[in-house]
Structures are given as C-alpha cells and as structure tokens.
C-alpha cells in the first residue's frame, strides 16, 4: 500500500506520463513512493522534475537492457550520458570522479517543453513539504511515517557496531534482526541508534 499522499502521487504520475509522451519507450512508474524519501548523492537527493528526468534516463536504460551505471549504481557512465542527452539533459564536460555524469541539468529547450508540468509538480512538492513540516515533535506519527514506508520499498540506512551500513525497508528489519557478518551485531536504523544513545 502506498504511503505517498494521493495528490503528490498523482502529480508524480502525471509528470512521468508527460515524459512518456515524448519518450514512449519509458516504462511506467510503478511506485511513486520510491522517489520520495529516497536520497542518493549520485542521482540527486532532492525530488524535482529534473530528478524525475534523471530517473527516466535510468528507466529507458533498463528498458533497453543498457548498463548505465557501475560502482553499485554510483558512477553514471557514457551510456547514461547518451540517453540523458536524448531526454534533453545537459552535463558537465568532464565526469565527476565518483559519480561520473550524474550531475545532469535540463537544457533551456527541455525547461520550455516541460514548464507547465514541472510547475505543477513543484506546487505539489511544496504542499507536501509544508504538510510534513507542520508536524511537531509532540505529534506521534508512528514508525511507518518516521521511516517513510510501511514496507512499500523506501529504504533507510541501518548500521552495525563496526560501522558497516545497509539500506533496508523498516518493516523487513522489524520482522527479524539482520546481523552483520563482520561484527556479528544486528543492524539498527540510524534514527533508532541515535535516540537510544541519547536516552
């Protein structure tokens, strides 16, 4: 079940459909919530229409069977770059040492093409941020809200005592401990570790 607010989910689906209109081979967006709360320094931490286009590049690469990244998805190679150019994204001349050509931006023509859709999505994102920011520390939102998902696919960082980390869906970790092979201690969600240490 999606934990994404219906209006924001609908706007994400609308924006994705607009990209599909120009690039029909782009697969459908299966889970809008996977884009919210998913933070990646390589793909962009902030959700925006530009980030949606970045993810669409990955979608088209997957549809074509093209391996567009390496180094566990961090390094965006020239195959990613070629598809990004098809979608109207500009890029720096030289690749970033660790993320490659991930730092793509919309060209002026692409901004014009998608302007109404990008503005609609921006309004929905602002409303979503305002609604979630209005929560106070005295409001109990439950574990699913705190971690962004009740198991719909949004992963959070969990660490063990030796400092290794994994990304995990909170509901999966709640079913049974996941134990580190190096230190034999269970992985814990970062927020839970921080709260436990300060108690």
């Amino acid at each position: 079940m999606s934990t994404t607010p219906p209006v924001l989910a609908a706007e994400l689906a609308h924006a994705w459909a607009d990209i599909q209109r120009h690039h029909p081979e782009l697969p459908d967006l299966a889970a809008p919530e996977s884009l919210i709360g998913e933070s990646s320094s390589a793909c962009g931490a902030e959700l925006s229409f530009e980030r949606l286009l970045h993810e669409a590049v990955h979608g088209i690469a997957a549809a074509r069977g093209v391996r567009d990244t390496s180094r566990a998805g961090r390094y965006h190679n020239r195959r990613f770059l070629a598809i990004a150019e098809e979608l109207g994204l500009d890029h720096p001349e030289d690749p970033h040492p660790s993320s490659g050509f991930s730092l793509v931006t919309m060209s002026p023509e692409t901004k014009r093409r998608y302007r109404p859709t990008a503005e609609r999505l921006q309004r929905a994102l602002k409303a979503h941020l305002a609604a979630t920011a209005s929560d106070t520390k005295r409001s109990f939102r439950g574990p699913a809200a705190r971690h962004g998902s009740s198991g719909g696919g949004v992963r959070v960082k969990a660490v063990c005592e030796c400092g290794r980390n994994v990304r995990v869906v909170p509901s999966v970790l709640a079913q049974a401990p996941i134990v580190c092979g190096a230190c034999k201690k269970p992985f814990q969600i970062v927020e839970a570790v921080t709260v436990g240490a300060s108690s």
Side-chain angles (χ1 to χ4, degrees):
M1 182 175 148
S2 172
T3 57
T4 307
V7 172
L8 182 53
E11 288 304 325
L12 282 166
H14 171 81
W16 194 261
D18 196 20
I19 299 169
Q20 283 179 312
R21 197 165 51 85
H22 297 281
H23 304 279
E25 69 182 307
L26 177 63
D28 291 339
L29 182 61
E33 65 269 17
S34 66
L35 297 173
I36 301 172
E38 184 69 25
S39 177
S40 164
S41 57
C43 294
E46 185 179 320
L47 185 54
S48 64
F49 189 78
E50 195 165 70
R51 164 92 187 278
L52 213 56
L53 279 172
H54 178 119
E55 297 299 339
V57 174
H58 290 306
I60 289 175
R64 293 178 182 175
V66 171
R67 188 167 179 231
D68 63 341
T69 62
S70 58
R71 301 181 198 166
R74 289 186 308 274
Y75 192 87
H76 293 58
N77 59 34
R78 291 191 182 276
R79 290 182 291 274
F80 171 87
L81 183 59
I83 299 171
E85 288 173 346
E86 288 179 40
L87 269 72
L89 294 168
D90 288 335
H91 57 86
E93 195 168 313
D94 296 316
H96 185 276
S98 62
S99 61
F101 293 101
S102 70
L103 304 174
V104 289
T105 56
M106 288 191 286
S107 70
E109 181 185 332
T110 304
K111 285 180 183 177
R112 280 191 298 277
R113 176 187 302 149
Y114 293 113
R115 184 177 179 173
T117 303
E119 287 175 352
R120 274 183 62 162
L121 180 61
Q122 190 59 36
R123 284 192 298 273
L125 287 166
K126 279 185 180 178
H128 172 71
L129 289 174
T132 55
S134 67
D135 289 344
T136 67
K137 291 189 176 189
R138 294 180 53 84
S139 300
F140 179 72
R141 296 170 59 219
R146 285 198 310 275
H147 300 301
S149 173
S150 60
V154 177
R155 291 168 171 80
V156 296
K157 185 176 180 179
V159 297
C160 64
E161 282 190 12
C162 69
R164 297 176 72 212
N165 67 73
V166 295
R167 304 282 296 177
V168 63
V169 176
S171 62
V172 171
L173 194 59
Q175 292 171 11
I178 298 174
V179 179
C180 173
C183 70
K184 308 299 184 214
K185 300 292 182 184
F187 284 96
Q188 295 182 318
I189 294 171
V190 174
E191 180 182 276
V193 172
T194 307
V195 170
S198 62
S199 304

